[in-house]
Amino acid sequence: MFHSVLVANRGEIARRIFRTARRLGIETVAVCSDADLDAAHVREADLAVRIGPAPAAESYLSIPDLVAAALESGAEAVHPGYGFLSENAAFAEAVQAAGLIWIGPSPEAIRAMGLKDSARERMIAAGVPVTPGWQGDDGSEATLLAAARDLGWPVLIKAAAGGGGRGIRRVDDAADFSAALAACRREALAAFGDDRVLLERCIEAPRHIEVQVFGDAHGGLVHLFERDCTLQRRRQKVIEEAPAPGMTPEVREAVCAAALAAARAVDYVGAGTVEFIADAREGLRADRIWFMEMNTRLQVEHPVTEAVVGVDLVEWQFRVAAGEPLPLAQDQIALNGWAVEARLCAEVPERGFIPAIGPLEHLRLPEGVRVDSGVEAGDAVGPHYDSLIAKLIAWAPTREGATEALAEACAGVETWPLKTNAAFLVRCLDDPDFLAGRMDTGFIDARLDRLAAAPEPSPALASAAASALAALAAEGASAPSRDLAGFRLNAPPRETVRIWCDGQPLIADLAAGPEEADFLDAGETLVLFEGGSAFTFTASPPDREGGAAAAGDGAISASLPGKVVAVSVAEGARVQRGDILVVIEAMKMEHGLAAPFDGVVEGLSAAVGDQVREGETLVRVRGEAS
């Protein structure tokens, strides 16, 4: 076994890898950009090396800087984590060329599975069922349109070099094909430097099933059963579980055998995941599950597999990279119970899931479940990287027990002032159709209005806040406005007060509130937590003076802190309602700011490259009299 490992990553996955390394007595080396100099993964590593400025392209995606950091630190091995360069064959080659141990599959296997078209060809040759589709050298629009008609609508246009849900367009008829093809090619070229595409038949109401595989350098290859990652938003996973609901022994045997065949076709060594798409309208059937892609790395959702098979997959990665055989044979790996994972992210579901950026002055993550976190109280979530705060993983003997435990854990999350998707996760986990296993990849979109609705405090929480505000008033703070006391026959009088919750007036029952409430005291503002959400309460209306411009005055403000990457108008330009005037980039996502009505641009203060604050006015549109 090697004695030191550099993790070429950050945040949650770096800390998770360090945890196993420490248990095995392996020294840990962190890398960090300027934005992460005091990050949690840096603080807990044995050694940290700065690799560049905050932008990922100049730090976590810089192969020369990462290899130099490994050599400088004296690390013997490099673990790529997930994301960033974890599936980059050139990075694997550079690590090996420097005389270091690469903890991952061979560069050849990464390349073989990295291109969707070549991966499909290999799978067909290996006898692995693939989604009906088209791929070829003649990528002309006429050829692709003819192939799409032969497949039957709807079809998916996919970037041949794509991954992570990017470079995909659904087309429902021939009239929309040309525009969708052009858009897919543009996105593919920008994201992957390759505008080649392939076609696949669009599977209606699909399930997303994946199989964890593991190989060693001695010819050993096993699977560790399946996971279900069907609950997604914008093709990004939200809830993952193992095993898959509704999976029968016969179908499990077939899909796991297909996954092993896929891995065997590229002489796979290390941890990998073979992803399948299933037409589950009539339940999971072996003849309705097709290969989609292979991720040649450790998956974000690997903890649910660890929970149900009782192994440490990072330890397996270390041992296999060090030349050891697999710790277990196939007949020694068994399923035990059920595990469900939720991704806790800094985002605001009721505002279109825009990223939330800023300090985590208060952070309380639940007990009783596994928590893999990338931050601690006092840290901040910045605009440069993804918004994942933590993964919460619950295990129980049954699916019902695991989902109930995870929902309770998500409801117990407390963050302030940063907002999270915890309440959204609770609603997903409590949904009757999810609990019954009736789901497909469109599950969240079909219920978005309800799942992502703005949270509201319960009457009990409002009463607790009212009681706490009244108690503070006795110490000199502003007192809640007394409402009329209500006479009730054969019952104590009911006394209500007017308070403000998140800036909105609210009538609360003072008598029903407990004498004491657990809250954060921010001056005359109280912060109380419920169901995964934070609510602010005040005894008097908030001061609007100096705040954001009133709605309807044409002021367009930044919806979140970030970098201006596009300005499509100039001073004096005429615009129409809905025109995108400014685009802000934060956490690898772009957010367009639109004109609120027809008018003329005035007071333009945004320029490409500007770093802007949330709420900062960037453009003002003056309406014209009709």
Side-chain angles (χ1 to χ4, degrees):
M1 178 65 71
F2 43 83
H3 297 95
S4 58
V5 60
L6 178 143
V7 177
N9 218 295
R10 64 179 300 279
E12 175 270 325
I13 186 57
R15 299 182 79 194
R16 187 267 169 272
I17 295 167
F18 290 164
R19 187 165 66 243
T20 293
R22 284 194 301 271
R23 181 171 59 79
L24 297 177
I26 299 171
E27 293 184 358
T28 57
V29 181
V31 292
C32 60
S33 70
D34 288 343
D36 280 340
L37 292 175
D38 190 39
H41 77 280
V42 172
R43 295 194 299 266
E44 67 181 43
D46 295 316
L47 177 67
V49 181
R50 175 191 175 275
I51 50 172
E58 302 174 49
S59 51
Y60 296 105
L61 292 174
S62 174
I63 293 175
D65 289 322
L66 289 166
V67 173
L71 294 173
E72 174 190 335
S73 68
E76 298 174 71
V78 173
H79 194 306
Y82 52 69
F84 291 134
L85 294 170
S86 61
E87 294 181 278
N88 188 297
F91 183 41
E93 287 172 336
V95 169
Q96 292 175 338
L100 304 170
I101 296 171
W102 167 252
I103 303 178
S106 69
E108 293 77 19
I110 295 173
R111 281 200 177 91
M113 287 304 196
L115 295 175
K116 284 187 168 61
D117 52 356
S118 64
R120 279 176 58 91
E121 292 172 0
R122 284 177 177 268
M123 295 304 99
I124 292 170
V128 177
V130 301
T131 312
W134 175 95
Q135 69 223 43
D137 296 328
D138 180 7
S140 68
E141 183 175 328
T143 297
L144 289 166
L145 180 57
R149 286 192 170 114
D150 289 342
L151 285 171
W153 308 105
V155 299
L156 293 179
I157 307 174
K158 288 188 170 184
R166 303 187 69 182
I168 300 176
R169 293 292 187 280
R170 170 179 168 144
V171 189
D172 291 297
D173 55 55
D176 297 329
F177 189 83
S178 180
L181 175 61
C184 187
R185 280 179 165 156
R186 283 195 305 272
E187 184 176 351
L189 187 62
F192 312 113
D194 185 343
D195 68 353
R196 293 177 304 115
V197 300
L198 55 84
L199 302 179
E200 287 183 358
R201 181 184 296 163
C202 183
I203 307 303
E204 301 284 2
R207 289 267 298 277
H208 183 126
I209 308 293
E210 61 187 34
V211 177
Q212 177 74 60
V213 296
F214 223 110
D216 64 25
H218 306 279
L221 181 66
V222 299
H223 70 77
L224 294 98
F225 301 104
E226 82 282 355
R227 299 184 287 255
D228 189 301
C229 305
T230 295
L231 251 64
Q232 303 176 9
R233 187 185 66 81
R234 297 176 184 169
R235 298 190 177 93
Q236 299 297 310
K237 299 166 186 174
V238 176
I239 304 287
E240 303 105 349
E241 57 184 309
M247 182 65 73
T248 65
E250 295 76 19
V251 176
R252 173 173 292 125
E253 182 178 356
V255 73
C256 290
L260 291 175
R264 199 173 290 115
V266 291
D267 298 323
Y268 200 81
V269 174
T273 296
V274 184
E275 301 197 342
F276 297 87
I277 190 166
D279 179 350
R281 288 175 293 179
E282 300 176 6
L284 293 175
R285 291 172 36 180
D287 62 347
R288 297 287 183 89
I289 299 180
W290 300 280
F291 171 85
M292 185 164 56
E293 65 181 1
M294 184 174 187
N295 290 310
T296 52
R297 55 174 168 80
L298 194 68
Q299 291 281 91
V300 178
E301 58 273 20
H302 75 273
V304 294
T305 293
E306 293 182 323
V308 295
V309 298
V311 304
D312 182 332
L313 291 176
V314 174
E315 179 180 346
W316 280 35
Q317 287 187 298
F318 287 168
R319 295 194 180 282
V320 166
E324 298 181 22
L326 290 171
L328 297 175
Q330 189 66 70
D331 60 4
Q332 296 174 300
I333 303 170
L335 282 171
N336 177 30
W338 214 287
V340 190
E341 173 181 294
R343 302 189 188 190
L344 180 69
C345 297
E347 59 188 12
V348 190
E350 63 268 27
R351 294 177 60 191
F353 293 88
I354 65 169
I357 298 171
L360 270 168
E361 296 175 8
H362 175 81
L363 173 64
R364 181 178 295 172
L365 296 175
E367 298 179 353
V369 298
R370 172 174 168 177
V371 177
D372 287 8
S373 174
V375 294
E376 296 177 348
D379 290 341
V381 175
H384 303 288
Y385 315 114
D386 67 62
S387 61
L388 183 68
I389 291 177
K391 300 181 312 195
L392 310 180
I393 306 99
W395 179 92
T398 64
R399 183 174 188 262
E400 180 182 11
T403 53
E404 182 179 347
L406 186 57
E408 183 178 346
C410 291
V413 169
E414 296 183 6
T415 62
W416 176 257
L418 205 67
K419 293 183 178 295
T420 74
N421 65 338
F424 164 76
L425 295 172
V426 173
R427 289 171 177 159
C428 289
L429 292 163
D430 283 343
D431 186 277
D433 286 328
F434 172 76
L435 294 174
R438 296 187 296 266
M439 54 191 178
D440 57 52
T441 56
F443 180 95
I444 289 176
D445 287 341
R447 298 161 177 79
L448 195 59
D449 289 347
R450 176 169 55 81
L451 297 177
E456 297 181 358
S458 67
L461 190 75
S463 294
S467 297
L469 289 168
L472 287 177
E475 302 175 8
S478 299
S481 303
R482 298 276 174 169
D483 204 35
L484 292 176
F487 171 78
R488 296 187 294 170
L489 186 63
N490 298 324
R494 179 181 178 184
E495 186 175 15
T496 59
V497 295
R498 181 183 296 273
I499 58 176
W500 274 259
C501 176
D502 295 337
Q504 300 300 315
L506 182 69
I507 302 299
D509 190 342
L510 188 61
E515 293 183 2
E516 297 183 1
D518 185 17
F519 57 84
L520 295 181
D521 186 354
E524 294 197 356
T525 299
L526 302 183
V527 182
L528 279 75
F529 301 95
E530 183 179 56
S533 295
F535 298 93
T536 60
F537 292 93
T538 57
S540 54
D543 182 11
R544 305 288 187 186
E545 190 174 339
D553 73 349
I556 302 171
S557 303
S559 53
L560 72 169
K563 180 181 180 180
V564 176
V565 294
V567 178
S568 58
V569 293
E571 190 81 24
R574 295 182 181 276
V575 297
Q576 294 183 318
R577 179 182 179 183
D579 288 350
I580 300 298
L581 310 185
V582 177
V583 178
I584 298 173
E585 182 183 66
M587 292 182 176
K588 301 185 292 186
M589 297 175 61
E590 293 186 351
H591 307 269
L593 304 181
F597 42 70
D598 297 352
V600 177
V601 173
E602 62 178 23
L604 178 65
S605 60
V608 173
D610 288 352
Q611 291 287 339
V612 298
R613 304 182 308 275
E614 181 177 3
E616 181 178 344
T617 300
L618 306 180
V619 192
R620 193 176 296 275
V621 176
R622 173 173 51 81
E624 296 184 296
S626 57

